[in-house]
Amino acid sequence: MEVEREQAETGKSVMCVLTDPEGTTLGGTMYLPQNVGPLQLQQIVNTLLKNEEKLPYAFYISNQELLVPLGNYLEKNKVSMEKTLSIVYQPQAVFRIRPINRCSATIAGHTEAVLSVAFSPDGRQLASGSGDTTVRLWDLNTQTPMFTCTGHKNWVLCIAWSPDGKHLVSGSKSGELLCWDPQTGKPAGNPLTGHKKWITGISWEPAHLNAPCRRFVSASKDGDARIWDISLKKCVICLSGHTLAVTCVKWGGDGVIYTGSQDCTIKVWETSEGKLIRELKGHGHWVNSLALSTEYVLRTGAFDHTGKQYSSPEEMKKVALERYNKMKGNAPERLVSGSDDFTMFLWEPAVSKHHKFRMTGHQQLVNHVYFSPDGLWVASASFDKSVKLWNGATGEFVAAFRGHVGPVYQISWSADSRLLLSGSKDSTLKVWDIRTKKLKQDLPGHADEVFAVDWSPDGEKVASGGKDRVLKLWMG
């Protein structure tokens, strides 16, 4: 009798519904055999989406990746056969980034702490800003200093490459901004003045909206954000309205600017006249960090992991727009804010001024939030020594990465969204595996706090800098 029942059970199929990360169903309810696993699901999704090239997908049930046949999953998790199983399919990057596991160079040069590091959009150049008032450009082939850019009179707090890679802007503690030519290391004109206090963030207008890149926005502790035009060499619009320091700024793919402030609000601005469009309220304390779901394609413009170079701004703009549209899909651009109130909010600012989800779980202030390049995950770094992973579409908590023994200052993603890097006060970098939710690589080597980390957009290398004044390059 038992045997018969068992045979009847194995013959049963599972009632499933496939949805994308936003919750849109694909092809209605399906009855799938219990022996169907990720590989067969991949074929089904590719067929239903009529993909000419077969793309890789990962599958999730209740935020857990499905790695076994459906029958095994149901048994292990004691899920009723009567219920419809909702399976979320997520596209994976076709290319794979090698995990970083060794320090390939330790480069001295800065005479004070390294406060920021940033790879150029094509991954070929690296810049760093320091408390010694200089910006440095490094040659990644020889792993030696290329240019020391002097002109600031105070600590260089932030740096930002234009998405076409033609310009680098740096902001200092005294509120000055300088634009550099990365080919020569020389300043392109005089310092841009207007801010009365230190610069807290810089963000460029996306390449798909304007190429060649001319405009960027800066945020300052003086409570204003300013839009600058580098060809006019002046401030064209001042965004005033925050009542306290502006702590972070992002220029979105839809052409609006988001500013986060110590006044607990996030403001959304249009960029032709600088009008305030809407205000996002909810945080109970300072807003520290903003992240956009499209951030990776905004940062890299027309450049991708293949290393293709472009001959004209028009071509770059066209490719950047294709990449942006493909990344964004039909969903609105999402924004995540991290705050001193220990929480994060997920917003869809184009849709509503109310948050979509309140993300709780950190025990101390949230320092840095960052979307994965594919927009499917959000990572957060906190003073509570942990890094947390969240669902990028819903805001739901997925996992906590523990291992740092000091506050985590900054995080960065690998281009294939499979690995996450964190830098901490504990002097280490750590690489986390998104699939296993475990530590992949521990990278000691710095002699003191690690303030800044960046993973190159081409995935080849990682740069880190901190209190010990050296810049470290790490390879796979």
Side-chain angles (χ1 to χ4, degrees):
M1 188 65 202
E2 277 302 304
V3 178
E4 280 176 16
R5 183 181 301 153
E6 233 172 71
Q7 281 173 338
E9 288 289 320
T10 49
K12 272 194 183 171
S13 50
V14 186
M15 190 161 52
C16 301
V17 61
L18 286 164
T19 74
D20 70 8
E22 261 79 43
T24 312
T25 53
L26 179 65
T29 308
M30 283 173 256
Y31 289 88
L32 300 174
Q34 290 196 26
N35 61 357
V36 164
L39 218 59
Q40 293 85 350
L41 285 168
Q42 199 153 279
Q43 290 167 336
I44 293 167
V45 170
N46 272 303
T47 307
L48 287 171
L49 289 173
K50 301 185 175 65
N51 290 336
E52 284 172 24
E53 282 176 71
K54 297 293 170 257
L55 297 174
Y57 291 90
F59 299 91
Y60 291 82
I61 301 171
S62 314
N63 270 332
Q64 291 300 312
E65 187 172 359
L66 177 71
L67 301 167
V68 294
L70 292 169
N72 300 28
Y73 173 85
L74 294 175
E75 201 176 319
K76 187 179 170 226
N77 294 279
K78 305 197 169 31
V79 179
S80 157
M81 295 280 292
E82 318 293 300
K83 286 209 180 100
T84 304
L85 204 57
S86 178
I87 306 173
V88 178
Y89 65 92
Q90 293 190 347
Q92 302 291 288
V94 183
F95 58 97
R96 283 196 95 89
I97 298 298
R98 284 200 309 271
I100 299 295
N101 54 25
R102 62 188 175 87
C103 180
S104 66
T106 300
I107 320 173
H110 281 299
T111 56
E112 288 294 335
V114 179
L115 303 176
S116 53
V117 294
F119 284 98
S120 60
D122 63 3
R124 293 182 178 198
Q125 279 183 286
L126 173 67
S128 57
S130 161
D132 66 11
T133 77
T134 70
V135 171
R136 284 177 180 249
L137 287 155
W138 309 86
D139 184 327
L140 291 172
N141 296 320
T142 59
Q143 304 194 338
T144 53
M146 196 157 67
F147 304 115
T148 300
C149 311
T150 55
H152 282 295
K153 298 176 188 62
N154 212 320
W155 298 0
V156 178
L157 298 176
C158 43
I159 52 177
W161 290 87
S162 60
D164 60 5
K166 301 271 192 285
H167 312 279
L168 177 75
V169 167
S170 55
S172 82
K173 199 176 171 183
S174 54
E176 281 186 340
L177 293 146
L178 274 166
C179 192
W180 309 93
D181 177 351
Q183 299 309 312
T184 64
K186 298 272 183 283
N190 295 325
L192 300 170
T193 55
H195 283 301
K196 296 168 197 64
K197 288 187 182 169
W198 73 57
I199 307 295
T200 54
I202 301 167
S203 185
W204 282 83
E205 182 171 24
H208 70 264
L209 296 174
N210 223 336
C213 298
R214 285 177 52 164
R215 298 198 300 169
F216 68 89
V217 60
S218 59
S220 167
K221 218 176 160 190
D222 64 13
D224 291 340
R226 288 173 177 265
I227 300 175
W228 308 83
D229 185 318
I230 55 164
S231 42
L232 301 175
K233 297 188 171 42
K234 65 173 193 180
C235 171
V236 285
I237 299 171
C238 184
L239 308 173
S240 310
H242 283 294
T243 54
L244 289 170
V246 182
T247 51
C248 43
V249 63
K250 294 286 175 205
W251 200 314
D254 301 339
V256 298
I257 287 172
Y258 305 98
T259 51
S261 165
Q262 287 180 358
D263 67 13
C264 308
T265 71
I266 298 148
K267 294 189 192 296
V268 187
W269 313 81
E270 65 83 45
T271 57
S272 57
E273 294 169 29
K275 286 202 180 87
L276 182 64
I277 302 171
R278 57 177 37 156
E279 211 167 20
L280 310 176
K281 290 180 176 170
H283 281 298
H285 211 301
W286 298 359
V287 179
N288 287 329
S289 179
L290 292 174
L292 287 167
S293 54
T294 52
E295 199 146 328
Y296 178 77
V297 290
L298 297 184
R299 170 189 176 174
T300 51
F303 301 108
D304 64 12
H305 65 282
T306 60
K308 185 175 183 318
Q309 297 288 311
Y310 298 92
S311 51
S312 72
E314 292 73 34
E315 189 188 4
M316 277 180 126
K317 186 177 176 181
K318 181 174 159 280
V319 175
L321 183 60
E322 284 164 12
R323 289 185 74 220
Y324 174 73
N325 286 336
K326 188 177 173 199
M327 156 71 227
K328 191 166 165 257
N330 301 322
E333 193 166 55
R334 298 186 298 281
L335 179 76
V336 162
S337 52
S339 163
D340 266 22
D341 65 11
F342 308 177
T343 75
M344 298 147 63
F345 281 118
L346 174 67
W347 314 84
E348 286 178 350
V351 178
S352 167
K353 64 175 185 182
H354 301 292
H355 64 265
K356 189 174 172 181
F357 198 80
R358 183 167 181 257
M359 302 151 81
T360 59
H362 278 299
Q363 306 296 304
Q364 288 200 42
L365 67 87
V366 180
N367 256 328
H368 190 206
V369 290
Y370 211 166
F371 267 95
S372 59
D374 58 14
L376 296 174
W377 310 104
V378 172
S380 55
S382 166
F383 261 45
D384 66 13
K385 306 174 190 163
S386 78
V387 174
K388 290 191 190 295
L389 185 70
W390 316 77
N391 181 309
T394 64
E396 285 168 54
F397 172 74
V398 177
F401 297 133
R402 298 186 196 283
H404 282 297
V405 294
V408 187
Y409 291 142
Q410 209 174 26
I411 43 185
S412 191
W413 286 89
S414 64
D416 62 1
S417 304
R418 290 182 173 103
L419 300 167
L420 177 67
L421 169 77
S422 55
S424 161
K425 184 177 178 160
D426 68 12
S427 83
T428 71
L429 279 76
K430 296 192 191 307
V431 179
W432 311 91
D433 187 317
I434 298 306
R435 176 163 225 164
T436 62
K437 317 280 188 288
K438 288 188 171 66
L439 180 67
K440 181 97 176 169
Q441 202 73 45
D442 199 3
L443 303 171
H446 277 286
D448 212 326
E449 309 186 29
V450 180
F451 294 140
V453 295
D454 195 23
W455 202 314
S456 68
D458 60 13
E460 296 292 313
K461 42 210 167 290
V462 156
S464 59
K467 212 170 179 175
D468 62 5
R469 307 171 184 185
V470 299
L471 196 81
K472 282 186 179 287
L473 286 173
W474 312 78
M475 303 293 224

